[in-house]
């Protein structure tokens, strides 16, 4: 199955949920991340329930410190 993560095409045939995707790209899931699927923000509590579908467009935003 192909999806797009921050506009990059990825084959995620072995992944089913949004949280599995995030873990597969080694993101620290505890803080500082916002995720949208097809331009709809997904609440952190729903990540494990959000099923990935062919051609989904996932946007991941990480908070950074700085000034």
């Amino acid at each position: 199955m192909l999806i797009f993560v921050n506009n990059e095409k990825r084959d995620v045939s072995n992944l089913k949920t949004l949280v599995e995707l995030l873990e597969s790209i080694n993101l620290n899931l505890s803080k500082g991340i916002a995720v949208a699927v097809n331009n709809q923000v997904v609440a952190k509590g729903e990540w494990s329930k959000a099923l990935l579908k062919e051609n989904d467009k996932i946007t991941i935003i990480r908070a950074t410190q700085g000034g």
Side-chain angles (χ1 to χ4, degrees):
M1 168 174 56
L2 293 175
I3 63 168
F4 297 85
V5 178
N6 290 351
N7 295 319
E8 292 182 21
K9 189 184 297 187
R10 288 185 183 244
D11 181 0
V12 295
S13 299
N14 58 333
L15 305 176
K16 294 181 180 158
T17 65
L18 184 56
V19 77
E20 289 175 352
L21 169 68
L22 297 173
E23 289 171 346
S24 78
I25 54 181
N26 297 319
L27 289 177
N28 180 348
L29 302 180
S30 62
K31 58 183 173 182
I33 298 173
V35 181
V37 177
N38 300 321
N39 296 317
Q40 296 292 315
V41 174
V42 179
K44 186 174 182 177
E46 299 296 313
W47 291 355
S48 62
K49 300 174 193 169
L51 298 176
L52 299 174
K53 295 182 280 308
E54 185 78 27
N55 292 315
D56 273 348
K57 291 171 181 59
I58 314 297
T59 304
I60 302 169
I61 300 170
R62 292 184 244 188
T64 59
Q65 278 186 309

